[in-house]
Amino acid sequence: MISDPGTPTLDQLRVFLTVVEVGSFAGAARKLHRATSVVSYSIANLEMQLGVSLFDRKTTRKPQLTDAGRMVLAEARTIYSGIDGLRAKVRGLLQGLEAEVHLVLDVMLPGGRIVDALKRFREQFPTVSLHLHMEALGAVTQRVLDRSATLGVSGPLTASIDGVERIGVGTVALIPVAAPGHPLATGGPHAPGAGREHVQLVLTDRSKLTSGQEFAVVGTRTWRLADLGSKHMLLREGIGWGNMPEPMVRDDVASGRLVRLDLPDCAGSDYVFDVIYRTDTPPGPAARWLIERFRSQVGPH
């Protein structure tokens, strides 16, 4: 028995996998368009190189995998699958397909739209690595500007930014909500300015692009949060009131865990989405497909 196995060739692994798949040396020979003796010789050489018996030829006429053969089979499948994946990726590169896409999405984008785009992307481009980032407000555009993202779906920015292309991909309704025990959730309609008397939970921007700008902020007492999930949690616990994407709180409002507020000076608004990318880095085929997918989603979501 050898202590240092040799290195099998891809052809030997292919022959081995084919024998396992069809269940016989003769069947593998027919599928590979080779003589049965050639298949047997390839398997014998593979066993000699590895120093183990892959098939039990003594107790049955049909080749049965040994324990060592089953272990080698799992590794051989992994190796051959990796080679197939490598060839598919290179084929895509030769056709102009990106090796990877870095996508940054605004946290306000409804989850249903995100899941739809990502599932279809995986089916359409199985060889393209997708890197997903979630950001709020100007941090989406910042990632595109600093080239850490190829493509973004951004919320509204009041200032136009040179070098960034924008393509409209719909809106989401923002509605003011609070827990049922919150003072603003009882009674109504409230007088103008009622929201200013209570803590408003506000999403903050980690970039400098919207420095000094406020989005749907009416409260003079605000708590700033960098995470939309944390804001959602605190709202349900009755700690303040705030605006949320309607799809994200739809079930909460229907079940009574949250109440839509009747505030005349903060009745809700549409949050506008744009697909963005740098004009000096136009999207490749996979990124262009994502743009069209987000555009096709525009409608009731």
Side-chain angles (χ1 to χ4, degrees):
M1 178 178 294
I2 64 174
S3 59
D4 187 15
T7 303
T9 66
L10 287 176
D11 185 69
Q12 287 173 328
L13 295 180
R14 181 189 179 199
V15 171
F16 172 57
L17 291 172
T18 306
V19 171
V20 173
E21 178 187 348
V22 302
S24 72
F25 284 25
R30 287 191 296 270
K31 184 168 184 176
L32 296 172
H33 305 291
R34 302 179 188 183
T36 303
S37 59
V38 173
V39 171
S40 297
Y41 181 74
S42 295
I43 295 297
N45 275 346
L46 178 59
E47 290 177 321
M48 186 179 299
Q49 279 191 312
L50 296 178
V52 295
S53 295
L54 300 175
F55 295 103
D56 181 358
R57 300 173 179 82
K58 298 177 181 178
T59 59
T60 177
R61 295 181 61 184
K62 294 188 65 175
Q64 297 291 325
L65 286 170
T66 62
D67 290 342
R70 282 188 285 273
M71 184 275 293
V72 172
L73 175 63
E75 296 299 325
R77 282 174 171 163
T78 300
I79 292 168
Y80 225 81
S81 175
I83 293 296
D84 287 341
L86 172 63
R87 293 178 68 248
K89 286 191 176 185
V90 172
R91 189 183 306 117
L93 289 174
L94 293 174
Q95 296 170 351
L97 190 64
E98 306 97 313
E100 60 182 11
V101 171
H102 288 259
L103 175 66
V104 56
L105 302 177
D106 192 299
V107 293
M108 298 288 191
L109 190 66
R113 296 190 63 179
I114 297 173
V115 170
D116 167 75
L118 298 189
K119 280 188 174 180
R120 300 291 86 79
F121 182 87
R122 184 176 59 185
E123 295 169 0
Q124 192 76 17
F125 302 100
T127 66
V128 178
S129 296
L130 183 68
H131 303 266
L132 180 63
H133 312 273
M134 301 296 296
E135 296 286 359
L137 303 171
V140 176
T141 301
Q142 188 62 60
R143 275 193 174 271
V144 173
L145 287 175
D146 65 20
R147 301 182 188 275
S148 63
T150 316
L151 199 69
V153 177
S154 171
L157 288 176
T158 56
S160 60
I161 299 175
D162 292 336
V164 174
E165 192 70 54
R166 310 184 78 86
I167 302 170
V169 288
T171 64
V172 68
L174 296 184
I175 62 172
V177 293
H182 191 279
L184 291 176
T186 58
H190 295 282
R196 292 196 292 270
E197 300 174 8
H198 303 274
V199 172
Q200 181 179 0
L201 303 182
V202 178
L203 200 63
T204 60
D205 190 344
R206 291 191 291 181
S207 79
K208 301 297 183 183
L209 292 180
T210 56
S211 178
Q213 300 178 38
E214 298 282 21
F215 298 91
V217 177
V218 300
T220 55
R221 300 164 58 198
T222 59
W223 283 16
R224 307 279 170 158
L225 300 97
D227 175 64
L228 190 63
S230 298
K231 180 179 177 180
H232 188 192
M233 176 191 67
L234 294 180
L235 286 169
R236 296 206 325 185
E237 292 298 324
I239 303 176
W241 69 277
N243 292 290
M244 290 290 289
E246 188 277 334
M248 190 172 183
V249 295
R250 186 177 298 160
D251 290 344
D252 292 312
V253 172
S255 66
R257 288 189 297 268
L258 288 174
V259 175
R260 181 167 182 169
L261 304 180
D262 187 357
L263 301 175
D265 53 345
C266 189
S269 61
D270 283 337
Y271 189 86
V272 180
F273 294 114
D274 290 314
V275 168
I276 61 172
Y277 59 87
R278 290 179 62 105
T279 54
D280 62 358
T281 313
R288 288 199 303 270
W289 184 93
L290 276 170
I291 294 173
E292 290 307 313
R293 189 69 192 185
F294 283 120
R295 291 183 66 186
S296 74
Q297 294 173 342
V298 176
H301 284 276

